[in-house]
Amino acid sequence: MFGFLNLNKPFGWTSHDCVAKTRKLLRLKRVGHAGTLDPAATGVLPIALGKATRLLQYLPGEKAYQATIRLGVRTTTDDLQGEIIAEKSVTNVTLETVKTALQKFQGKIEQIPPSYSAIQVDGKRLYDLARKGETVEAPVRIVEVFKIKILDWREGEFPEVDVAIACGTGTYIRAIARDLGTVLGTGGTLAALQRTASSGFQLADSLTFTDLEAQLQARTFQPLPPDVALQHLPCVSLSAPADQKWCQGQKITFENNSSQILRVYAEDERFLGIGQTKDGVLTPLLVLV
């Protein structure tokens, strides 16, 4: 089996749990995922099947989320799964105030990942250190948020704002929730999170495990083509015998002198793999055929 599964990850499952479940259902050893999702998050989790695991490094990094941020609450994990460390009624914050504050989180921003995250410091995961009671602050990272749009606003003792966020790889939505609360002086935490797009895959086209099991039982399941999420890369078609030489690991003369990574196809539209051009030469990076 060779291709991708666009999985709609269920609540409470780790990304590793999803890989293990997929491996069991498909009876397939080589399974991997792109873009880890927290257990409390749901939505798009791209799963690579078979040799497609070798393509994970070439997937685009852009992601999109719908999140609910609750003001007036701070937790150890920056979401509702953690222990509450501060809580106060919020009565002086308006939608316009929140809208203005959210503008600070667009563009390239500095972000400190949550203490409970998979980031490694000195070779150790932050969540492992946090569970042992060790306080280690993750290094500041530069991430990019392309757009934040307010979807809904609910007033109350602990107001909530629903937002749609489009961002680059490595962005922690929990950190945005925490830092928004800091900017407003209220404290804030992530109350709910759904990933609506990741690495070229969309929520509308995703399958739940129930969907997958039903398709497997009906023998209708087909993995998505391996190049489906690589459309951001330019492509080149090789005619014979150049395609055979390239598949054997040989460099091919290329008319373009630019340096770029691209998809490589045979004349019959078979996807052959990933190549790189430089100084008029097409070099194989990943041969799949």
Side-chain angles (χ1 to χ4, degrees):
M1 191 169 290
F2 179 32
F4 284 93
L5 164 66
N6 178 5
L7 180 68
N8 186 343
K9 189 189 86 66
F11 180 87
W13 289 53
T14 67
S15 299
H16 180 74
D17 291 337
C18 292
V19 167
K21 177 72 170 181
T22 302
R23 187 178 287 128
K24 182 178 180 180
L25 287 174
L26 299 181
R27 300 178 183 178
L28 189 65
K29 288 185 177 181
R30 293 183 67 177
V31 178
H33 71 84
T36 300
L37 269 179
D38 292 331
T42 63
V44 177
L45 182 68
I47 303 285
L49 309 174
K51 289 188 295 184
T53 54
R54 300 168 66 191
L55 293 170
L56 289 171
Q57 61 184 307
Y58 298 107
L59 298 186
E62 291 80 7
K63 298 175 176 62
Y65 298 88
Q66 286 190 8
T68 298
I69 299 172
R70 182 174 299 174
L71 302 177
V73 180
R74 291 174 53 220
T75 69
T76 54
T77 58
D78 299 324
D79 63 11
L80 292 182
Q81 309 310 302
E83 178 184 347
I84 295 176
I85 54 179
E87 191 174 39
K88 66 176 181 179
S89 177
V90 176
T91 57
N92 60 342
V93 174
T94 65
L95 175 57
E96 285 303 315
T97 304
V98 173
K99 188 178 298 184
T100 299
L102 281 172
Q103 293 176 5
K104 300 178 183 292
F105 298 94
Q106 297 190 67
K108 291 186 178 180
I109 62 173
E110 291 186 346
Q111 190 177 74
I112 299 176
S115 297
Y116 282 81
S117 64
I119 300 297
Q120 290 193 20
V121 175
D122 296 330
K124 298 180 179 179
R125 302 282 186 185
L126 282 185
Y127 54 64
D128 289 332
L129 296 172
R131 287 165 185 157
K132 294 177 181 178
E134 299 181 32
T135 303
V136 179
E137 190 170 275
V140 174
R141 311 193 328 174
I142 303 297
V143 299
E144 187 169 9
V145 177
F146 307 121
K147 185 178 181 181
I148 300 181
K149 179 183 178 181
I150 293 178
L151 302 175
D152 196 14
W153 166 251
R154 293 179 292 280
E155 296 181 345
E157 186 177 6
F158 302 104
E160 291 186 342
V161 58
D162 296 337
V163 293
I165 299 176
C167 59
T169 186
T171 305
Y172 276 91
I173 309 303
R174 282 185 288 151
I176 292 178
R178 175 199 66 206
D179 295 343
L180 174 64
T182 300
V183 169
L184 294 171
T186 62
T189 196
L190 187 66
L193 182 66
Q194 181 182 55
R195 189 155 66 189
T196 56
S198 178
S199 302
F201 297 92
Q202 305 296 319
L203 182 64
D205 305 318
S206 65
L207 297 178
T208 65
F209 276 125
T210 300
D211 296 329
L212 177 59
E213 290 181 88
Q215 289 188 13
L216 288 172
Q217 186 173 5
R219 298 184 179 182
T220 59
F221 173 70
Q222 290 292 333
L224 296 171
D227 58 338
V228 68
L230 301 172
Q231 302 305 306
H232 62 296
L233 298 176
C235 66
V236 61
S237 178
L238 299 179
S239 57
D243 56 349
Q244 295 178 354
K245 292 181 178 179
W246 190 86
C247 287
Q248 292 168 358
Q250 299 180 38
K251 297 179 180 180
I252 303 297
T253 301
F254 195 67
E255 67 275 7
N256 194 327
N257 288 321
S258 63
S259 179
Q260 58 184 339
I261 294 176
L262 36 70
R263 293 171 284 143
V264 180
Y265 294 84
E267 277 190 315
D268 60 6
E269 299 185 353
R270 283 180 301 130
F271 177 51
L272 302 180
I274 303 294
Q276 183 172 26
T277 59
K278 185 177 181 181
D279 299 329
V281 174
L282 175 62
T283 301
L285 293 180
L286 175 59
V287 177
L288 295 170
V289 177

